[in-house]
Amino acid sequence: MTGASMRVAVDPDKCQGHNRCYALAPELFDVDDYGTASAKGDGVVPPELVDKARRAAANCPEYAITVTESAEEGSHS
Amino acid sequence: MTGRQAPVTNWETDFDHTDPTWVADPYPIWSELRDKCPVAHSDRYGGTWLPTTHELVSEVAYDTERFTSRSVVVSNLRPTELDLPAPIGLAPPITSDPPFHGIARRMLLPAFAPKPIEALEPFTRALCRELLDATTGQTEFDAAVEYTRHIPVRVIVQMLGFPQEDADIFRKFIGQILENVDQTAEERTELVNQGEIDEYMNAQIEDHRAHPRDDLTSFLLEAEIDGNKLQIEHIRGTMTLLMIAGIDTTWSAIGASLWHLAQHPEDRKRLGHEPELWGSAIEEFLRVYAPVTMARLVKEDVDFHGCPMKKDDWLLLPFPSANRDPSEFPEPDVVKLDREHNRHAAFGLGIHRCLGSNLARMELTVALQEWMARYPDFELSDPAGVTWSGGQVRGPRTLPLRIL
């Protein structure tokens, strides 16, 4: 294991409700009654959904999704 | 189209979106402009600008300070402050600017969120099957006339809670508004002032007041902004918007996708064998055949990348050209059903993102899926007989197909 972790976040000021992320990765994103998207839970992406997270970010017309990858806390590789 | 304008000989300085060459195939024009003249200008329609790259189209779409949405259909009838009072406009919120735009839009958004739209899928699927049933036994027919053009209008009529048999009234009204933009200002005024459609909507509104039900008209009658019910002009304007924005547009996207599939047996086969491709395929059709070019008016004199734009000049916003910009989309003219990175702008960008995008996507998906299930193999029976709508919404208006 590399010990890396991935998170997704949606900038609510940029999101215009295209709902592309919700269609591509409903495991990672939710939309409210106004169609505005947000990351589900704490935004941590399980290893099996890493590709989906990248794909959701790469399909957002408003560039509202950020994917951050960081070394896991406490891991010393 | 009436084709009454002088033919265009220079697209950089004298373009016209109703010219037959543009109507037949605007993509080579845009491609050349992106390379040579990314912001073209024309004196037609009282002065019009045309940015063509993804970057410039985005910049205008995001800039609601310098560019107003007070009118979004370029024609010879230039709106005045009097007949299109800012910030509401004729058809809120598409013709509204901030801050009223956000208020009018937020009121409507819940009716167009993914879940309520999902609820319309069974109706849409049944409608598509009924239309396909009616083609049984025919081996050659016009898919635009017999199939695609009926779908969006009947879904909108269903949403508004109007009688299904009235769908044709709206289809004709919208065709007049969107396609005859090269009429003179006097003819346009007469068309807009006819008032028949207002009378129709007033009657429906009265009927819904007397008999509230679970549909969009009753929703609009119940809706409040700052504790006040909507004025009837606002309700009618919003109904007009739903028709202008929701009928020709999706009709065009469905037709253009069928036009593509008719000519690409390999893509038909892939969709048949790899149903998991439907999601990305729909987005790719939306990118390549985005039907809608929007418009703005210049708010005050402004210098835009060296272009001296004057107050009340029009700007065409060709999202379909942005979607073919090679700097944003590798091999932009190639349809790749499995394209993984596709930030297409078919539904616009920024605060005016198409309110009905979830609805359009659902209708396009269901219409194509049902067609492919019924007719997995088909071709153009008369390629030269395919005609395209002019103006700012582009799609096939005749689509003669042969079922194989």
Side-chain angles (χ1 to χ4, degrees):
Chain A
M1 298 300 289
T2 61
S5 74
M6 179 186 274
R7 275 172 194 268
V8 288
V10 181
D11 182 339
D13 291 332
K14 287 187 178 173
C15 176
Q16 297 292 348
H18 291 258
N19 296 153
R20 297 285 304 280
C21 57
Y22 179 65
L24 283 166
E27 306 91 334
L28 297 172
F29 299 93
D30 213 343
V31 290
D32 64 15
D33 287 347
Y34 300 93
T36 306
S38 58
K40 266 191 177 169
D42 53 9
V44 172
V45 180
E48 68 275 15
L49 295 177
V50 161
D51 286 347
K52 273 197 170 188
R54 290 205 179 100
R55 201 165 164 196
N59 281 279
C60 176
E62 311 284 349
Y63 289 81
I65 298 171
T66 47
V67 175
T68 49
E69 292 177 77
S70 59
E72 226 163 66
E73 239 173 86
S75 79
H76 302 280
S77 50
Chain B
M1 301 309 301
T2 50
R4 68 181 70 203
Q5 306 287 346
V8 171
T9 54
N10 187 326
W11 293 101
E12 295 179 21
T13 59
D14 187 36
F15 68 84
D16 188 328
H17 62 302
T18 69
D19 186 273
T21 308
W22 173 305
V23 172
D25 187 5
Y27 292 102
I29 298 169
W30 291 333
S31 176
E32 202 174 321
L33 288 176
R34 281 194 304 268
D35 287 341
K36 291 185 182 164
C37 178
V39 185
H41 179 263
S42 174
D43 286 332
R44 300 183 190 217
Y45 305 100
T48 309
W49 300 88
L50 175 70
T52 44
T53 65
H54 186 277
E55 193 181 356
L56 291 167
V57 169
S58 307
E59 186 180 339
V60 175
Y62 286 124
D63 191 342
T64 57
E65 285 300 311
R66 295 190 292 174
F67 306 109
T68 166
S69 287
R70 219 151 42 82
S71 179
V72 291
V73 180
V74 171
S75 77
N76 285 317
L77 179 58
R78 188 167 303 261
T80 66
E81 306 270 343
L82 204 63
D83 51 32
L84 289 177
I88 297 177
L90 183 68
I94 202 171
T95 55
S96 314
D97 291 327
F100 180 82
H101 166 268
I103 298 163
R105 181 177 171 90
R106 194 169 167 82
M107 176 200 78
L108 285 171
L109 279 168
F112 292 88
K115 284 197 182 77
I117 294 306
E118 252 171 56
L120 284 164
E121 185 180 320
F123 171 85
T124 310
R125 213 169 274 284
L127 166 63
C128 291
R129 288 180 185 170
E130 176 196 320
L131 293 167
L132 288 166
D133 285 346
T135 65
T136 303
Q138 298 184 65
T139 52
E140 287 189 22
F141 58 91
D142 188 331
V145 172
E146 308 220 10
Y147 188 60
T148 61
R149 80 171 178 185
H150 299 289
I151 299 165
V153 67
R154 287 184 55 182
V155 174
I156 292 277
V157 162
Q158 174 76 8
M159 283 184 85
L160 286 167
F162 297 172
Q164 279 286 308
E165 57 269 26
D166 292 349
D168 259 8
I169 299 174
F170 296 108
R171 204 171 43 69
K172 285 175 189 149
F173 172 65
I174 294 313
Q176 285 174 336
I177 294 247
L178 289 178
E179 294 206 22
N180 298 325
V181 293
D182 53 352
Q183 288 173 326
T184 64
E186 291 72 31
E187 288 168 325
R188 287 290 285 179
T189 308
E190 198 181 330
L191 170 67
V192 174
N193 288 345
Q194 271 170 0
E196 285 170 36
I197 205 79
D198 282 357
E199 276 171 39
Y200 178 90
M201 288 191 283
N202 284 345
Q204 289 296 332
I205 289 167
E206 282 316 308
D207 189 51
H208 278 75
R209 268 198 227 282
H211 312 281
R213 52 206 103 147
D214 184 18
D215 59 31
L216 203 51
T217 300
S218 290
F219 172 89
L220 291 170
L221 285 169
E222 283 301 307
E224 291 183 357
I225 289 180
D226 293 336
N228 298 312
K229 293 270 197 280
L230 306 184
Q231 294 170 353
I232 194 157
E233 291 79 10
H234 187 158
I235 294 177
R236 278 202 315 258
T238 301
M239 289 174 166
T240 305
L241 162 64
L242 296 181
M243 291 185 277
I244 290 181
I247 295 178
D248 270 26
T249 50
T250 313
W251 171 20
S252 297
I254 300 168
S257 305
L258 282 181
W259 177 76
H260 172 87
L261 288 168
Q263 299 169 87
H264 291 86
E266 71 286 2
D267 284 345
R268 295 200 300 270
K269 199 172 283 180
R270 278 197 83 184
L271 282 174
H273 289 120
E274 301 169 66
E276 67 279 9
L277 276 182
W278 272 108
S280 60
I282 292 296
E283 301 305 329
E284 182 68 341
F285 290 140
L286 286 166
R287 181 187 71 80
V288 177
Y289 302 114
V292 180
T293 291
M294 281 305 297
R296 298 285 188 269
L297 287 164
V298 178
K299 244 187 213 175
E300 301 293 341
D301 291 5
V302 64
D303 179 285
F304 183 77
H305 297 277
C307 300
M309 298 184 175
K310 299 286 175 217
K311 179 177 170 15
D312 287 343
D313 278 355
W314 296 103
L315 277 111
L316 277 173
L317 270 192
F319 290 112
S321 175
N323 281 352
R324 301 277 191 116
D325 187 336
S327 68
E328 182 70 23
F329 305 96
E331 296 186 89
D333 296 326
V334 180
V335 172
K336 299 179 183 184
L337 299 186
D338 55 359
R339 193 178 283 269
E340 290 219 341
H341 295 185
N342 190 352
R343 301 179 198 265
H344 70 75
F347 295 116
L349 294 168
I351 64 166
H352 287 281
R353 184 270 304 170
C354 171
L355 177 75
S357 61
N358 296 308
L359 174 64
R361 191 174 273 125
M362 182 278 284
E363 290 176 4
L364 178 59
T365 306
V366 169
L368 294 182
Q369 284 178 342
E370 290 301 321
W371 175 280
M372 291 298 291
R374 187 73 58 106
Y375 298 125
D377 264 319
F378 55 102
E379 63 184 8
L380 299 179
S381 59
D382 175 17
V386 178
T387 58
W388 297 80
S389 55
Q392 290 174 233
V393 181
R394 181 171 193 270
R397 291 297 173 262
T398 54
L399 185 58
L401 296 182
R402 181 182 300 116
I403 307 301
L404 300 174

